[in-house]
Amino acid sequence: MSDDIERGVSLAQQFLLSAAARTLSLSAIARMSDEEARAAFQRIRWAENGGEPYCPRCGCLKVGRIATRPVWKCGDCRYQFSVTAGTIFENRKRPIRDYLLAIAIFVNGAKGHSALQLSRDLDCQYKTAFVLAHKLREAIAAEQAGHQLAGTVEIDGAYFAGHRKPANKAADRIDRRLAEEQTGKRKVVVVLRQRGGRTLAFVTRKESDGVAIVRQRVAMGSTLQADEASGWDTLYAHYDMKRVNHRVEYKAADGANTNQAESYFSRLRRAEIGVHHRIGARHLLQYAREMAWREDRRRVSNGGQANEVAALALGHPVSREWAGYWQRSFPKQAAE
Ligand SMILES: [Zn+2]
């Protein structure tokens, strides 16, 4: 992984990405007792404090372990907390080792992992796997907020979501694309990909909306490489721009290309078609960022990736969307 990514992560994450910490392979987790899994979560969650817990509410370092349960009590505010309190794993119903297993299985699927497959792997209900996978995705997506790119950056956009296979007989087909653009179901994923750096994904209504995102996320003085889509033209005023015309060639005479951006889109497309079958507009951003994360970590070991996802998950609060999601939405949203 490049220095640019390393610079963007916290001290705790740097520890977790180090070779010494890359032990969370699927087979290592499968051999763990529940107690060992809890200890692994503890090391990861409080990595920046040497694995020693501190109060998630007031930050007090003086905490005591309760003798009868795997719970600590804050010496200052008296808050009692488990290793997963205040994280996406709060109110968990299953043995703690299953959550480490879920993370290891999730990172092993290079094209993503479907909730159906995860429910089979963990032998749990579909809805449990569905919510769990979305929580992991959300924690990964949150990590991409606020980053800036510099240097040479490829920019590109592509349509996702809202698509359905056309009917078999031509007479039954309607122009769904046009209809979906009008209803706003189809969205554009805009990707910014720094050469030798990281990948950031965004979702907009149309490709030209990506201009504002580029200006916000790419440092002045950077060189942009884009295709011939006219929406990007206004960026000439702010950046050194190199263009490639895809109707003619995939690499311009001056070397300009968007091949890294294309590679990202093909990964997202394979995830959409091959794994999830349909990605709704509502959660498109989370899938888009999951694939950006996977693309950037394609050379990191599975154990290293699992470590990082565990750290992101334990550093991410439970969101309003996924707390009690099924109680509110079932069965209406079952297929998404
Ligand atoms: Zn406290």
Side-chain angles (χ1 to χ4, degrees), residues 3-10 13 140-150 192 194 198-202 213-219 289 293 296-297 308 312:
D3 290 347
D4 301 291
I5 295 175
E6 295 286 353
R7 270 199 293 277
V9 301
S10 70
Q13 278 175 281
I140 288 169
E143 192 271 333
Q144 285 174 43
H147 283 282
Q148 254 220 340
L149 306 182
L192 319 180
Q194 180 178 328
R198 58 183 299 157
T199 308
L200 302 180
F202 303 86
I213 294 168
V214 171
R215 293 213 49 202
Q216 205 173 37
R217 298 307 193 101
V218 181
R289 291 188 167 172
W293 186 89
D296 285 346
R297 276 131 186 108
E308 194 186 343
L312 293 172

Side-chain angles (χ1 to χ4, degrees), residues 55 58 74 77:
C55 178
C58 73
C74 174
C77 77

Side-chain angles (χ1 to χ4, degrees), residues 115-131:
L116 185 62
Q117 190 58 49
L118 189 60
S119 75
R120 287 173 181 154
D121 294 338
L122 293 175
D123 193 21
C124 68
Q125 283 187 49
Y126 173 80
K127 62 183 186 181
T128 306
F130 174 89
V131 171

Side-chain angles (χ1 to χ4, degrees), residues 8-200:
V9 301
S10 70
L11 208 63
Q13 278 175 281
Q14 276 184 33
F15 161 77
L16 293 161
L17 291 168
S18 70
R22 288 175 192 175
T23 53
L24 285 183
S25 69
L26 190 52
S27 64
I29 294 165
R31 286 193 299 269
M32 279 181 187
S33 66
D34 218 36
E35 198 49 51
E36 288 169 325
R38 186 175 289 110
F41 268 138
Q42 185 184 330
R43 277 199 308 276
I44 292 166
R45 178 168 191 185
W46 291 292
E48 58 200 340
N49 194 36
E52 289 304 315
Y54 55 84
C55 178
R57 223 165 242 181
C58 73
C60 177
L61 292 168
K62 244 177 58 189
V63 299
R65 171 83 183 253
I66 290 182
T68 50
R69 288 177 300 146
V71 168
W72 294 272
K73 187 174 181 180
C74 174
D76 191 5
C77 77
R78 320 305 289 168
Y79 177 55
Q80 293 191 14
F81 58 94
S82 72
V83 70
T84 52
T87 76
I88 66 167
F89 299 127
E90 193 173 67
N91 298 323
R92 67 197 156 78
K93 309 273 190 301
R94 299 176 61 84
I96 195 159
R97 195 189 62 151
D98 282 12
Y99 295 85
L100 270 187
L101 268 179
I103 289 169
I105 292 166
F106 182 86
V107 302
N108 281 0
K111 289 183 291 184
H113 207 85
S114 74
L116 185 62
Q117 190 58 49
L118 189 60
S119 75
R120 287 173 181 154
D121 294 338
L122 293 175
D123 193 21
C124 68
Q125 283 187 49
Y126 173 80
K127 62 183 186 181
T128 306
F130 174 89
V131 171
L132 185 53
H134 266 296
K135 284 177 171 177
L136 294 178
R137 231 167 253 132
E138 184 183 82
I140 288 169
E143 192 271 333
Q144 285 174 43
H147 283 282
Q148 254 220 340
L149 306 182
T152 301
V153 180
E154 293 182 19
I155 58 174
D156 203 359
Y159 280 99
F160 281 88
H163 175 75
R164 279 169 189 73
K165 279 185 183 160
N168 187 35
K169 289 196 170 68
D172 297 335
R173 289 177 208 155
I174 56 166
D175 192 346
R176 287 194 187 275
R177 211 169 66 169
L178 190 67
E180 282 167 353
E181 262 161 41
Q182 283 159 355
T183 59
K185 272 188 184 168
R186 263 173 95 71
K187 300 280 182 194
V188 177
V189 173
V190 171
V191 71
L192 319 180
R193 195 152 188 201
Q194 180 178 328
R195 295 268 172 85
R198 58 183 299 157
T199 308
L200 302 180

